Amino acid sequence: MDKILVRGGARLTGEVEIGGAKNAALPIMAATLLAPGVFELTNVPSLVDVNTMGHVLRVLGAQVTHHDHSLTIDTTNCSYHEAPYELVKTMRASVCVLGPVLARHGKARVSLPGGCAWGPRPVDFHIRAMKALGADVEIEHGYIVASADRLTGSVIHFDTSSVGATENAMMAATLAEGTTTIENAAREPEITALADFLNAMGARVAGAGTATITIEGVDDLHAVEFRVVPDRIEAGTFMVASAITGGDVLLKGVVREHCSAVISKLQESGAEIVDEPGGLRVRGPVWGQSVNVTTAPYPGFATDMQAQMMALMAVADGTSVITETIYVDRFSHVPELRRLGADISVDHNVAVVTGVKKLSGAKVMATDLRASAALILAGLVAEGETEVSRVYHIDRGYEAIEEKLAGLGADVERVRE
Ligand code: UD1
């Protein structure tokens, strides 16, 4: 298994290109299953999760080719309807093929994803949404087995905002008979991106980006070309990289409004964020102030940036309270940050981080995707060498992070084993 070695102390400067958003690319890839034809997706990041979704589509009968940052997906002969456990267990986002496969073929058999490092992560909202659209849904031998001659438009009300369930419901409803209203829909930019993609395919989706989405069902959809939006979490991670090293980094290809919550917290902690024609410049303070952070659905502070923000707070001036409201157990990075000398205590879903003047490099273990990013960020300012093992987690969601950081002057390398 590869490791990433970081020798701390370098101030990051220069420019970095932010890639396409993993969390937008995955549901858009799934949505290609709604129509036969040849799709061209551009600005697709080269990531393990994207490859996994490619495998899922192939198992369902699609031909998928990835070249550079483009994906060609031919869904002409997609006649299979089963997403197997072996794939879904490795990436729970695979469950978003449920809606499109069911809508196009009238049946779908998709493995239940099982648990994850941050807790149970159920898919009950996805199942309820399919039932609301008139599908028969049973759980059989660890699989969601759904069928319907044709889905029918309906009102789907989510108890809490769910990105994946909103996406599944939206995709399924595009081919349903009649109109569907999704209430308490997730408002993440990835939802808006998916709606734009579906509308380009001929769907009638309105209200994406608000809490109420309306979908007028159509009889069929068609293949299109589409560019994936920039990754706001990769952008946020590089913003923290600049801030934590007191750096001066220009991020290219960022949509500023997608990053507002992170920008606001970084500004509060003393970073300077400047819009420039070529992108967004982030200048870090010499020693940042501690700030309190509470994760929340978009446009609130993303849970996917919580670990990285905690790394920044570990070396800030003062005490910060970080409250996780989306995944209450999402603190597996805490013991690892402590190994680097961070002063963090956790009570249920609240972490109290007292900033220290310096961290010291150590061997640490990546426990999930964003936790790995947090450890690398902490390593950038730790004295000596930090060795992050199990970096396969990071390869799921960050393309060439060590090369991008090295391009900004960080002393970081991958050791292949
Ligand atoms: C997506 C993101 C993930 C991010 C998360 C929250 C993708 C591929 N992944 O995950 O990176 O951390 O949004 O921003 O886009 N819930 C239920 N029942 C369900 C579905 C969700 O109880 O059927 C709960 C979850 O346990 C969680 C909350 O709803 O507490 C939000 O989860 P959700 O928005 O669904 O996350 P994902 O779409 O899985």
Side-chain angles (χ1 to χ4, degrees), residues 170 186-188 191-196 205-214:
M170 227 162 70
R187 292 181 286 161
E188 272 68 3
I191 301 285
T192 312
L194 177 62
D196 290 344
V205 181
T210 75
T212 306
I213 299 178
T214 309

Side-chain angles (χ1 to χ4, degrees), residues 115-140:
C116 121
W118 336 323
R121 296 189 74 185
V123 289
D124 52 325
F125 299 165
H126 301 244
I127 293 171
R128 266 195 269 146
M130 297 308 125
K131 284 184 176 167
L133 293 171
D136 281 330
V137 188
E138 302 290 341
I139 303 300
E140 288 175 7

